[in-house]
């Protein structure tokens, strides 16, 4: 179970945290972290992951490994039931 992952290149700017529609990003030590039980890669909410769109560091946030679309849709539905 994994969706988006924030790499060591994170500068802790905090831009990604409020953009997550599932409240799945939080401050960690030393970088922000994604809760895989809340991440849907923005499936169900947006066309693309908002955290990647807002992140000022190219390649900082990646899908590792990418999960099937239907799995992500089901997780989004469960989180927003």
């Amino acid at each position: 179970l994994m969706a988006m992952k924030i790499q060591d290149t994170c500068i802790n700017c905090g831009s990604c945290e409020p953009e997550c529609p599932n409240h799945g990003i939080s401050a960690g030590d030393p970088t922000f972290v994604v809760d895989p039980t809340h991440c849907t890669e923005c499936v169900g909410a947006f066309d693309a992951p908002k955290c990647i769109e807002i992140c000022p560091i190219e390649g900082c946030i990646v899908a590792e490994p990418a999960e099937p679309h239907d799995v992500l849709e089901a997780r989004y539905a469960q989180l927003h039931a």
Side-chain angles (χ1 to χ4, degrees):
L1 178 72
M2 181 40 116
M4 305 314 293
K5 179 172 173 51
I6 300 174
Q7 306 294 318
D8 294 352
T9 53
C10 174
I11 60 171
N12 291 306
C13 69
S15 296
C16 58
E17 187 177 17
E19 294 297 318
C20 180
N22 304 319
H23 308 288
I25 299 175
S26 59
D29 183 26
T31 64
F32 276 77
V33 292
V34 177
D35 179 346
T37 64
H38 283 76
C39 182
T40 63
E41 297 176 30
C42 286
V43 168
F46 301 105
D47 292 335
K50 294 302 273 185
C51 57
I52 290 177
E53 288 180 2
I54 197 73
C55 183
I57 306 300
E58 180 89 24
C60 179
I61 306 174
V62 295
E64 263 189 10
E67 292 184 285
H69 193 83
D70 60 332
V71 170
L72 297 171
E73 279 185 334
R75 185 177 307 139
Y76 183 83
Q78 181 180 16
L79 289 168
H80 297 273

